[in-house]
């Protein structure tokens, strides 16, 4: 039976960082983005407010900045190897993240079968961000269900990989989960826990099942 592997991005595939921080670094605005990450992690703002504020922060953003941020980001090792192995085994892999879709979707070029992020206007921005298109922890579960229907599997066939509060709902909805360099919000919720910088090692925790 095929399985669907669902990967978070920020703090999971990206070690100790987030897509907004990496994008902001290209604009010399890293400190501002880190402050926003801390605010949302502490529950001081929600995903829609975060998106509006980071959109404002990126007034000068270009495609070149996004490409440079993607290239320089602190990715875990062997991401493409894991996704190639999943494809070879007949499994499916998808990335579901609260980060902007224009960054997340680049991971289809690495072998992800699907990639979903919060909907932002095209870069460079000429339109405001629509809060209705910003994902939440609950929205991740809805996307997982749509992907299950697309790939012909059920929640019982899913494996989730994540690190923080935004993954809590998904971890509660699927039978197998891997906490990757996770914070306290996932303590006691995950089937497996991994600390390190190599996705293959995290994947091996569920590979034999």
């Amino acid at each position: 039976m095929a399985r669907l592997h669902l990967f978070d991005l920020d703090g999971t595939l990206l070690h100790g960082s987030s897509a907004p921080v990496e994008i902001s670094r290209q604009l010399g605005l890293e400190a501002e983005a880190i402050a926003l990450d801390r605010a949302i992690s502490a529950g001081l703002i929600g995903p829609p407010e975060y998106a509006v504020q980071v959109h404002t922060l990126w007034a000068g953003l270009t495609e070149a900045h996004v490409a440079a941020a993607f290239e320089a980001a602190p990715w875990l090792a062997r991401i493409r190897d894991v996704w190639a192995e999943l494809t070879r085994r007949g499994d499916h892999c998808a990335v579901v993240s609260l980060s902007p879709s224009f960054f997340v979707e680049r991971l289809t070029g690495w072998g992800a079968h699907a990639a979903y992020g919060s909907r932002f206007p095209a870069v460079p921005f000429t339109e405001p961000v629509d809060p209705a298109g910003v994902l939440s922890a609950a929205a991740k579960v809805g996307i997982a269900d749509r992907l299950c229907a697309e790939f012909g599997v059920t929640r019982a066939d899913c494996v989730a990989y994540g690190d923080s509060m935004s993954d809590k709902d998904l971890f509660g909805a699927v039978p197998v989960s891997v906490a990757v360099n996770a914070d306290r919000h996932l303590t006691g919720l995950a089937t497996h826990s991994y600390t390190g910088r190599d996705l293959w090692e995290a994947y091996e925790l569920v590979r034999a099942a």
Side-chain angles (χ1 to χ4, degrees):
M1 175 64 70
R3 291 195 294 179
L4 171 59
H5 297 252
L6 299 156
F7 297 89
D8 174 54
L9 175 64
D10 302 324
T12 304
L13 297 178
L14 286 176
H15 184 267
S17 188
S18 69
V21 167
E22 296 305 311
I23 293 167
S24 299
R25 181 175 289 123
Q26 298 297 320
L27 297 167
L29 298 168
E30 178 182 1
E32 290 85 346
I34 289 173
L36 286 174
D37 274 9
R38 288 174 177 164
I40 194 171
S41 295
L44 300 177
I45 59 175
E49 294 84 2
Y50 180 95
V52 169
Q53 292 188 46
V54 81
H55 175 273
T56 301
L57 195 65
W58 294 339
L61 189 64
T62 67
E63 276 291 340
H65 290 128
V66 178
F70 188 89
E71 183 67 26
W75 300 102
L76 292 190
R78 295 199 282 181
I79 293 173
R80 281 171 279 196
D81 293 342
V82 170
W83 293 348
E85 170 69 3
L86 293 176
T87 300
R88 186 192 66 78
R89 290 169 61 102
D91 284 355
H92 312 284
C93 53
V95 182
V96 185
S97 170
L98 273 59
S99 277
S101 55
F102 61 75
F103 189 95
V104 181
E105 290 168 359
R106 287 174 172 265
L107 287 165
T108 59
W110 283 13
H113 299 136
Y116 287 86
S118 294
R119 292 197 304 274
F120 271 64
V123 176
F125 299 144
T126 58
E127 302 172 3
V129 64
D130 181 0
V134 178
L135 300 187
S136 64
K140 284 189 170 188
V141 179
I143 290 172
D145 285 340
R146 294 204 299 271
L147 288 168
C148 283
E150 179 181 342
F151 293 126
V153 299
T154 69
R155 286 189 186 182
D157 307 310
C158 290
V159 182
Y161 303 75
D163 76 304
S164 66
M165 184 167 59
S166 71
D167 305 299
K168 191 173 182 179
D169 288 8
L170 188 56
F171 273 38
V174 303
V176 181
S177 54
V178 183
V180 180
N181 299 313
D183 64 21
R184 59 181 175 80
H185 294 103
L186 297 186
T187 301
L189 293 179
T191 312
H192 306 281
S193 182
Y194 172 73
T195 301
R197 302 196 64 165
D198 189 330
L199 187 62
W200 189 277
E201 294 175 355
Y203 165 58
E204 282 191 326
L205 297 174
V206 299
R207 184 185 184 198

